Amino acid sequence: MGDGRRNQKLRTRRALIDAAVTLLREGRTVTIADAAEAAQVSTATAYRYFSSPPELLQEAQTLLRTPDVLADLPSDPAQRLDTLVSRVADMQFGDEAMWRALLRASMERWFQQAQKGGEQGDEIPIRNRTRLDLTRAALEPLADTLPPAEHRRLTMALMLVYGVEALITTRDAGGLDPEEAKETMRWAAGALLETALRESGSARG
């Protein structure tokens, strides 16, 4: 009975998360009540798992960190970075509506926290650290090559040229189709890496 009840709780939790992802992909605002209806559980039951929509959305975003874009990356820094940027672009352009909805949800959380005065404490983080962690992993071979300050500056600069914000900039402001947008992200990432290596005196060849 213990295992059966625990498994049922896990299935219910996963059903609610899957429901939130479905709502996001439909471009709908996620509420606990709507997620409960889509998961075919009562709203009261859903609130026992997630106390607020931001908490549910945070779980949903964690679930969407697939496929593993870091799998089998090349050892060469330039190829490594290019592979990562390409994989992330393919993943996000392949499910563009959902990623736009996730960005909208994160902006809604920002406004909710701003209305509370921006107080720290038990609030749900507005954004996770996935892109930062991915960028650091891609640049790991350069940890002993670039000085720490330049390594950090390159990390932060690269975060500007790929990901969902870059998707929106290239698509909406630039009017690019997905393939050209992806190539632009790859070029920008490569240019930043080349510049950082040249300025540090570490460029090869």
Side-chain angles (χ1 to χ4, degrees), residues 191-203:
L192 285 169
L193 175 59
E194 182 180 348
T195 299
L197 290 172
R198 184 174 63 250
E199 289 183 353
S200 72
S202 301

Side-chain angles (χ1 to χ4, degrees), residues 17-30 56-67 88-107 109 127-128 163-165 167-168:
I17 295 170
D18 287 344
V21 171
T22 298
L23 292 172
L24 285 171
R25 285 180 170 144
E26 293 174 353
R28 296 169 57 185
T29 299
V30 176
L56 174 56
L57 288 167
Q58 196 73 10
E59 287 274 352
Q61 192 162 0
T62 300
L63 181 70
L64 292 164
R65 294 175 188 172
T66 54
V88 171
D90 287 340
M91 176 182 66
Q92 294 185 332
F93 281 121
D95 207 349
E96 187 171 340
M98 188 273 298
W99 285 99
R100 286 175 179 268
L102 279 174
L103 180 61
R104 182 179 68 181
S106 72
M107 293 299 96
R109 289 197 293 278
R127 301 293 296 274
N128 61 41
V164 66
E165 294 88 356
L167 179 154
I168 290 172

Side-chain angles (χ1 to χ4, degrees), residues 141-159:
L142 296 175
D144 296 325
T145 303
L146 288 174
E150 294 183 22
H151 192 278
R152 184 178 187 278
R153 182 174 65 177
L154 176 60
T155 300
M156 298 302 141
L158 285 169
M159 291 175 63

Side-chain angles (χ1 to χ4, degrees), residues 1-11:
M1 285 293 292
D3 287 343
R5 184 172 179 80
R6 183 161 51 250
N7 289 338
Q8 179 58 48
K9 285 184 175 181
L10 290 173
R11 285 194 294 269

Side-chain angles (χ1 to χ4, degrees), residues 80-158:
R80 188 179 179 90
L81 178 61
D82 184 67
T83 299
L84 172 66
V85 172
S86 295
R87 287 176 178 177
V88 171
D90 287 340
M91 176 182 66
Q92 294 185 332
F93 281 121
D95 207 349
E96 187 171 340
M98 188 273 298
W99 285 99
R100 286 175 179 268
L102 279 174
L103 180 61
R104 182 179 68 181
S106 72
M107 293 299 96
E108 289 174 351
R109 289 197 293 278
W110 186 91
F111 281 108
Q112 290 170 4
Q113 292 180 17
Q115 289 171 356
K116 295 177 182 177
E119 298 178 358
Q120 300 297 314
D122 58 356
E123 63 211 25
I124 301 294
I126 293 172
R127 301 293 296 274
N128 61 41
R129 292 166 49 92
T130 302
R131 196 183 330 168
L132 177 59
D133 292 340
L134 292 177
T135 308
R136 285 174 170 168
L139 296 181
E140 189 174 359
L142 296 175
D144 296 325
T145 303
L146 288 174
E150 294 183 22
H151 192 278
R152 184 178 187 278
R153 182 174 65 177
L154 176 60
T155 300
M156 298 302 141
L158 285 169

